[in-house]
Amino acid sequence: MLISLTRRAVLAAAASLLALPATAQDAPLQVAGIYTVPVEQQWVSRIHQAALAAQDAGQIEYTFSENVSNTDYARVMREYAEGGNDLIIGEIFAVEDEAREVAADYPETAFLMGSSFLHDPALPNLAVFDNYIQDASYLTGLIAGAMTESNNIGMVGGFPIPEVNRLMHAFMAGARETNPEVEFQVAFIGSWFDPPKAKETAFAMIENGADMLYAERFGVSDAAQERGLLAIGNVIDTQADYPETVVASAIWHFEPTLQAAIAAVNDGSFTADNYGVYSYMKEGGSSLAPLGTFEGRVPEETMALVREREAAIKAGEFEVEIDDSEPVSN
């Protein structure tokens, strides 16, 4: 019978695996990744990076497919399962039913999939995750609220699904805390990877008074840079690419999530579970990126509050609200 480890036990097991010399570990797990966008895309890049790190550490042998269409996703899942992979990772937001049917056909294969829905105990070999980085998003909101001069922030997202909505709401809550007068323009472009469309949407918000942009998608920071305005990054750190534009970014670290899954597959305890908890800041799954060129340019009283809140979040003394409802302009 499969059992679910506690988070602390799983992370401890993962840490012990890393500490062992390669010759003392089990044979590397065969891991396959299936992605509907290029691996350069923000969200997927974090999964891909964590998998490459695990491969470099000798824990896994990793292969992947990118730009897989939704209509082809189930077929690729089957091919990787038939190929003998121990663990398959990916994102099934648009193919929930089909993906779960495939997982049911391969009970000996572990599936760890990004999903807007929770795990199903009746399907014990499929666990779900999402990037619950609302903690870091809230911290960037504190900074944005203090840095806007027009009190008008534009927010461009991909789709209004829980994974996006919760980050936007956390950001908005932080911005309101340091600037109760701030207002938001919110729009979704209907794509996970369409930088030109995101850029044009951002330009429209700038024309409507925004002097700060929340860049949930690629293309938004380009618009801010061209107009000499500021932006807040999401999931990855792009400060080096936009040194006079991106003030702060909420970073997702997929490593704790993947390490938990690797440990569970190795000891036979992998089962249906919600791996989204490993994205929490207190679990090491998210962080506030270094300010880089904006170090010293954010008001000190704001940074003092950021440091205070960050410490409280990590200590479990402050909880950022999770709101998965669709955000709207005000």
Side-chain angles (χ1 to χ4, degrees):
M1 179 178 180
L2 294 174
I3 58 173
S4 178
L5 294 178
T6 65
R7 282 177 280 159
R8 182 171 297 178
V10 167
L11 290 177
S16 66
L17 279 174
L18 287 172
L20 288 172
T23 55
Q25 295 185 28
D26 295 331
L29 292 179
Q30 301 299 307
V31 176
I34 311 173
Y35 312 118
T36 60
V37 293
V39 291
E40 291 82 11
Q41 189 257 14
Q42 300 111 297
W43 195 86
V44 163
S45 73
R46 307 307 291 176
I47 303 172
H48 185 62
Q49 178 177 301
L52 290 175
Q55 179 169 257
D56 290 343
Q59 295 177 293
I60 68 173
E61 291 184 356
Y62 171 59
T63 187
F64 66 93
S65 295
E66 57 186 332
N67 293 314
V68 177
S69 67
N70 291 330
T71 56
D72 214 23
Y73 204 92
R75 179 190 64 78
V76 178
M77 284 180 68
R78 289 186 183 280
E79 287 185 355
Y80 277 132
E82 291 284 352
N85 284 280
D86 304 296
L87 173 65
I88 296 175
I89 56 179
E91 17 108 18
I92 59 173
F93 298 101
V95 291
E96 294 281 353
D97 292 339
E98 301 95 320
R100 291 169 190 262
E101 289 176 5
V102 173
D105 290 339
Y106 298 92
E108 301 304 313
T109 304
F111 293 86
L112 178 65
M113 294 294 185
S115 171
S116 294
F117 298 94
L118 290 177
H119 56 286
D120 180 359
L123 191 59
N125 62 320
L126 188 145
V128 298
F129 69 88
D130 210 340
N131 65 330
Y132 284 84
I133 63 170
Q134 66 280 347
D135 301 322
S137 296
Y138 161 79
L139 297 180
T140 64
L142 294 175
I143 294 171
M147 295 294 282
T148 177
E149 295 180 357
S150 68
N151 296 332
N152 188 325
I153 298 177
M155 307 181 68
V156 182
F159 292 93
I161 65 171
E163 180 263 329
V164 175
N165 298 344
R166 73 176 67 104
L167 307 189
M168 285 187 162
H169 278 297
F171 171 85
M172 295 164 81
R176 290 191 183 103
E177 186 170 340
T178 53
N179 185 350
E181 297 181 1
V182 71
E183 295 183 344
F184 303 94
Q185 300 178 61
V186 180
F188 298 91
I189 63 172
S191 173
W192 292 130
F193 195 73
D194 191 342
K197 188 173 183 179
K199 186 177 181 180
E200 288 303 315
T201 303
F203 277 144
M205 291 178 171
I206 293 170
E207 293 299 320
N208 200 33
D211 70 344
M212 168 76 71
L213 298 174
Y214 177 77
E216 199 271 328
R217 292 291 102 196
F218 275 150
V220 178
S221 293
D222 295 288
Q225 180 175 250
E226 288 187 21
R227 297 296 173 87
L229 301 178
L230 302 178
I232 296 294
N234 180 58
V235 176
I236 63 175
D237 185 4
T238 57
Q239 219 280 320
D241 298 320
Y242 306 93
E244 293 302 312
T245 302
V246 175
V247 183
S249 298
I251 307 302
W252 183 31
H253 305 286
F254 190 69
E255 287 79 2
T257 304
L258 182 58
Q259 286 299 315
I262 289 172
V265 173
N266 273 328
D267 67 16
S269 66
F270 188 91
T271 191
D273 209 345
N274 177 18
Y275 278 67
V277 293
Y278 296 104
S279 293
Y280 284 35
M281 183 173 284
K282 64 182 179 181
E283 300 292 346
S286 62
S287 69
L288 178 67
L291 300 187
T293 57
F294 281 88
E295 194 70 47
R297 297 164 65 180
V298 179
E300 177 51 36
E301 61 268 26
T302 301
M303 291 311 300
L305 177 60
V306 169
R307 290 190 291 269
E308 176 186 330
R309 290 283 191 267
E310 183 178 27
I313 290 170
K314 290 180 177 179
E317 299 168 355
F318 184 87
E319 187 171 330
V320 176
E321 180 183 359
I322 296 175
D323 184 350
D324 287 348
S325 65
E326 181 176 344
V328 295
S329 303
N330 68 328

